[in-house]
Amino acid sequence: MSTIQGLNRTQHDTPPMRLSRHHRQWIYAVGGGLVGSGVGWLIAHYLLVGASAFGETHHPSEPWWLRLHGAAVMAFLVVLGTILPGHVKRAWSLRKNGIQSVRKNVVTGTLMLSLVAALALTGYALYYSGSEELRPYISTGHWVMGLAAAAGFYQHRRGRLKRQSQQVPARQAEGPRAQEPSPGAVLLQHHPRRHL
């Protein structure tokens, strides 16, 4: 097998934009904290509303959920910054290589990045918009997009898992791969002694 064929085979067998296990764990932890704190606020805001003589009252945990959410957003922006130069850039450059699964993941990844940008804008607007009339609409748009982003991340991740499950049977069907010896390996081969 020539070197070029070996490189092409490697490119198709293992996606070059794959993140390390520890990197993925950080993304899951930070993303889980972000989604969890947002869902916690939704539950406190909409389901745990109390009644008083002056009308509905906010649940005391609401400000704490917002504080956790703000902290998780800062951590998420750091994690996002770690995947942009490698994972996202490499996937974007490979989108035209004809690998269908990579193209699908580029689509879901692009949708994810678009939702993240929209979430950043609506989150900014929630803090700095002075209009109390627009605030409920901005809030609703923010949490709907947040839940959509969580579903989009699941879909993006599912594409990777699906690709891995398809690769395992293909590799098993091929059997063990014959490796070409390196140029120096020929000198190290065992030769039986010749008897005189």
Side-chain angles (χ1 to χ4, degrees), residues 24 27-28 108 112 148-159:
R24 287 194 312 270
I27 292 169
Y28 301 153
T108 57
M112 288 287 303
F153 177 77
Y154 171 76
Q155 189 66 26
H156 187 69
R157 170 84 174 119
R158 200 174 127 217

Side-chain angles (χ1 to χ4, degrees), residues 96-176:
K96 294 181 180 176
N97 280 5
I99 305 170
Q100 188 66 24
S101 59
V102 171
R103 275 197 252 150
K104 285 180 183 176
N105 264 17
V106 167
V107 169
T108 57
T110 303
L111 290 173
M112 288 287 303
L113 288 175
S114 302
L115 282 171
V116 166
L119 285 166
L121 288 173
T122 54
Y124 182 85
L126 282 170
Y127 275 101
Y128 297 109
S129 171
S131 172
E132 287 301 318
E133 292 83 25
L134 286 177
R135 188 173 179 79
Y137 298 108
I138 296 170
S139 176
T140 302
H142 184 77
W143 66 257
V144 166
M145 284 187 288
L147 293 176
F153 177 77
Y154 171 76
Q155 189 66 26
H156 187 69
R157 170 84 174 119
R158 200 174 127 217
R160 179 181 174 273
L161 294 174
K162 197 174 187 182
R163 187 169 57 245
Q164 279 180 335
S165 67
Q166 290 171 352
Q167 287 176 353
V168 171
R171 286 182 184 163
Q172 289 172 350
E174 289 175 6

Side-chain angles (χ1 to χ4, degrees), residues 6-193:
L7 288 174
N8 286 341
R9 184 174 195 165
T10 304
Q11 283 178 355
H12 288 288
D13 287 348
T14 57
M17 62 270 175
R18 185 173 178 189
L19 298 172
S20 71
R21 184 171 55 90
H22 294 297
H23 203 160
R24 287 194 312 270
Q25 287 172 344
W26 274 108
I27 292 169
Y28 301 153
V30 171
L34 188 60
V35 172
S37 59
V39 169
W41 180 85
L42 282 172
I43 291 169
H45 186 74
Y46 290 107
L47 300 179
L48 303 178
V49 178
S52 71
F54 301 105
E56 292 182 346
T57 59
H58 295 289
H59 193 266
S61 68
E62 272 191 60
W64 291 103
W65 287 117
L66 287 177
R67 289 180 186 115
L68 281 172
H69 197 60
V73 165
M74 289 182 215
F76 177 77
L77 290 175
V78 171
V79 168
L80 180 65
T82 65
I83 65 169
L84 287 176
H87 181 73
V88 173
K89 187 178 176 184
R90 278 182 263 163
W92 188 255
S93 66
L94 287 173
R95 73 190 187 284
K96 294 181 180 176
N97 280 5
I99 305 170
Q100 188 66 24
S101 59
V102 171
R103 275 197 252 150
K104 285 180 183 176
N105 264 17
V106 167
V107 169
T108 57
T110 303
L111 290 173
M112 288 287 303
L113 288 175
S114 302
L115 282 171
V116 166
L119 285 166
L121 288 173
T122 54
Y124 182 85
L126 282 170
Y127 275 101
Y128 297 109
S129 171
S131 172
E132 287 301 318
E133 292 83 25
L134 286 177
R135 188 173 179 79
Y137 298 108
I138 296 170
S139 176
T140 302
H142 184 77
W143 66 257
V144 166
M145 284 187 288
L147 293 176
F153 177 77
Y154 171 76
Q155 189 66 26
H156 187 69
R157 170 84 174 119
R158 200 174 127 217
R160 179 181 174 273
L161 294 174
K162 197 174 187 182
R163 187 169 57 245
Q164 279 180 335
S165 67
Q166 290 171 352
Q167 287 176 353
V168 171
R171 286 182 184 163
Q172 289 172 350
E174 289 175 6
R177 293 183 186 166
Q179 295 182 351
E180 291 183 4
S182 64
V186 175
L187 299 175
L188 300 175
Q189 286 180 348
H190 175 70
H191 294 286
R193 290 186 186 190

